[in-house]
Amino acid sequence: MVGKENLRTEDLNLCFEKLMMLAGGDGIDVGAKGVKMDGGVIAGWKDIPMELLLQIISLVDDRTVIVASGVCCGWRDAICFGLTHLSLSWCKKNMNNLVLSLAPKFAKLQTLILRQDKPQLADDAVETIASYCHDLQVLDLRKSSKLSDLSLYALAHGCPDLIKLNLSGCTAFSDTALAYLASYCRKLKVLNLCSCVKAASDTALQAIGQYCNSLQSVNLGWCENVSDVGVMSLAYGCRDLRTLDLCGCVLITDDSVIAMANMCPHLRSLGLYYCQNITDRAMYSLAHSCIKHKPTKWGTTGKGKNDDDGLRTLNISQCTALTPPAVQAVCDSFPALHTCSGRHSLIMSGCLNLMSVHCACAVQAHRAPSAFPYPAH
């Protein structure tokens, strides 16, 4: 564990030398006796003023920041005041204890990344974060499968300004707790619930659609309990959705895609991998939405000037019920969708019946040699 009690004078001196080397690279005069500044010479780590310290801290890694916070009360206060982003994903052991010790110090954090390869965090760590880090906007708890509903209840009350929340792989949360969180954290724009099979139910998605109207990106990959009821609640409540991943949501049908096509004009990326209930009806709805949602200069509907409007990524791999004409209609409606080499944004792996679908530039590249056998004069 990294902490104040483990620091030695030689550790601090090494830390100071590292900081000074970085400072020297930023245009500060580093001499043999220290760093020269208008106010004097910095000969040791205790002499660094707060303003310079905050500049230096922005250049070093998160481990060094934690060590530096234990130098003295002045450094601790400066870092606690100035540090807004912290990642502890490098910590492979004792992350829970590290969070318990650091959260009270770094109360001004806005971004906290706690991704884990193996679950380490317990509820007491998240409850401590919620008790002290009230400015938190971005929180990544990926693979925190030891956490219970207590963590979501704590975040709901302590961190209402959350904008981005990654709960992927957090398999113990219930849909009741997730719905409760949504009712308090109404500023959410990015929500990752990948593999949260228990939490991501239609009941939870109805609450999210009701309260989190600013959502722009939702990942529901492999949430097998999600049906049309939940997805349609998102479509009607979150009209600004840009990215939606429904890969592996085996219960959804055309109704979910049609709702997205009709209600979410800013949709740019849609993942439907292994959604085998999706048929041509959904594809034609997407193709038609291109015309429906593009305003003309007179404020009516029609073809827009920007070819990048509309879908840019569509994954329909393993959607074996689709036919080439329907998928080709989607590809023709959205020029940003590509099947050509190096620009695959229309992903159709596992659908051998769709091999004849091609984007416009792929067709042109195929026809070009025969159409123009000789250079023009």
Side-chain angles (χ1 to χ4, degrees):
M1 175 178 169
V2 181
K4 181 177 179 180
E5 65 274 12
N6 293 331
L7 289 172
R8 302 188 303 272
T9 301
E10 53 267 33
D11 295 329
L12 299 180
N13 288 334
L14 288 172
C15 182
F16 171 74
E17 291 175 7
K18 183 176 181 180
L19 295 175
M20 289 301 96
M21 289 175 64
L22 288 165
D26 200 34
I28 300 172
D29 183 15
V30 181
K33 296 183 179 180
V35 180
K36 296 180 180 179
M37 297 185 67
D38 293 340
V41 176
I42 300 175
W45 44 265
K46 294 181 180 179
D47 303 323
I48 300 178
M50 182 183 298
E51 294 80 6
L52 176 58
L53 174 63
L54 293 178
Q55 279 191 338
I56 296 173
I57 288 301
S58 67
L59 301 174
V60 300
D61 58 64
D62 290 319
R63 299 192 204 198
T64 305
V65 171
I66 294 171
V67 174
S69 69
V71 169
C72 62
C73 61
W75 275 40
R76 181 196 65 209
D77 294 343
I79 292 172
C80 291
F81 176 79
L83 189 69
T84 59
H85 296 71
L86 181 66
S87 173
L88 300 180
S89 296
W90 49 267
C91 183
K92 304 304 179 183
K93 296 181 179 179
N94 299 320
M95 181 187 286
N96 202 72
N97 292 334
L98 187 57
V99 171
L100 288 172
S101 66
L102 294 179
K105 294 181 182 180
F106 301 150
K108 297 296 183 181
L109 283 177
Q110 295 178 13
T111 298
L112 180 58
I113 309 299
L114 300 174
R115 295 185 178 187
Q116 303 144 79
D117 294 327
K118 297 181 180 179
Q120 300 183 58
L121 290 181
D123 288 324
D124 57 349
V126 178
E127 288 172 331
T128 302
I129 292 169
S131 296
Y132 290 95
C133 305
H134 300 302
D135 296 334
L136 206 59
Q137 297 179 16
V138 179
L139 179 60
D140 191 333
L141 296 173
R142 187 176 69 173
K143 291 189 178 180
S144 299
S145 58
K146 291 183 177 180
L147 299 181
S148 74
D149 288 353
L150 293 175
S151 291
L152 293 191
Y153 290 130
L155 290 173
H157 291 287
C159 305
D161 292 331
L162 281 174
I163 295 175
K164 296 182 179 181
L165 180 61
N166 188 342
L167 300 179
S168 62
C170 297
T171 53
F173 294 143
S174 71
D175 58 350
T176 302
L178 182 58
Y180 188 85
L181 175 81
S183 68
Y184 282 85
C185 299
R186 302 188 179 193
K187 299 179 182 179
L188 280 172
K189 290 187 177 181
V190 178
L191 181 60
N192 190 337
L193 298 173
C194 183
S195 299
C196 296
V197 179
K198 289 174 58 179
S201 69
D202 289 339
T203 299
L205 294 182
Q206 286 175 314
I208 292 170
Q210 179 181 355
Y211 297 115
C212 303
N213 306 130
S214 298
L215 269 176
Q216 295 183 358
S217 176
V218 181
N219 188 336
L220 297 172
W222 308 105
C223 294
E224 299 174 355
N225 296 326
V226 170
S227 75
D228 292 332
V229 173
V231 177
M232 291 172 70
S233 297
L234 287 180
Y236 282 90
C238 309
R239 302 285 297 275
D240 199 28
L241 269 179
R242 316 291 177 90
T243 299
L244 179 62
D245 192 336
L246 297 172
C247 295
C249 295
V250 295
L251 298 180
I252 68 166
T253 71
D254 293 337
D255 290 341
S256 290
V257 179
I258 292 170
M260 285 291 160
N262 290 335
M263 305 306 298
C264 300
H266 304 297
L267 192 64
R268 298 294 178 263
S269 177
L270 180 60
L272 298 172
Y273 173 77
Y274 212 75
C275 297
Q276 296 187 333
N277 293 321
I278 300 299
T279 72
D280 289 353
R281 181 166 162 255
M283 295 297 101
Y284 284 120
S285 178
L286 285 173
H288 180 71
S289 71
C290 172
I291 300 174
K292 177 179 178 181
H293 293 310
K294 285 187 176 180
T296 65
K297 63 180 180 179
W298 303 109
T300 59
T301 58
K303 184 173 176 61
K305 295 181 179 180
N306 189 354
D307 285 344
D308 287 334
D309 287 343
L311 280 176
R312 299 173 186 173
T313 303
L314 178 62
N315 188 343
I316 51 174
S317 299
Q318 301 295 335
C319 295
T320 53
L322 300 178
T323 66
V327 178
Q328 188 67 61
V330 176
C331 196
D332 292 342
S333 295
F334 299 105
L337 289 177
H338 290 278
T339 61
C340 52
S341 178
R343 303 180 69 183
H344 289 102
S345 58
L346 176 56
I347 306 167
M348 304 176 292
S349 61
C351 299
L352 296 178
N353 59 319
L354 300 180
M355 295 298 291
S356 61
V357 176
H358 294 291
C359 60
C361 55
V363 173
Q364 291 171 1
H366 177 72
R367 292 176 178 173
S370 58
F372 302 100
Y374 304 105
H377 295 283

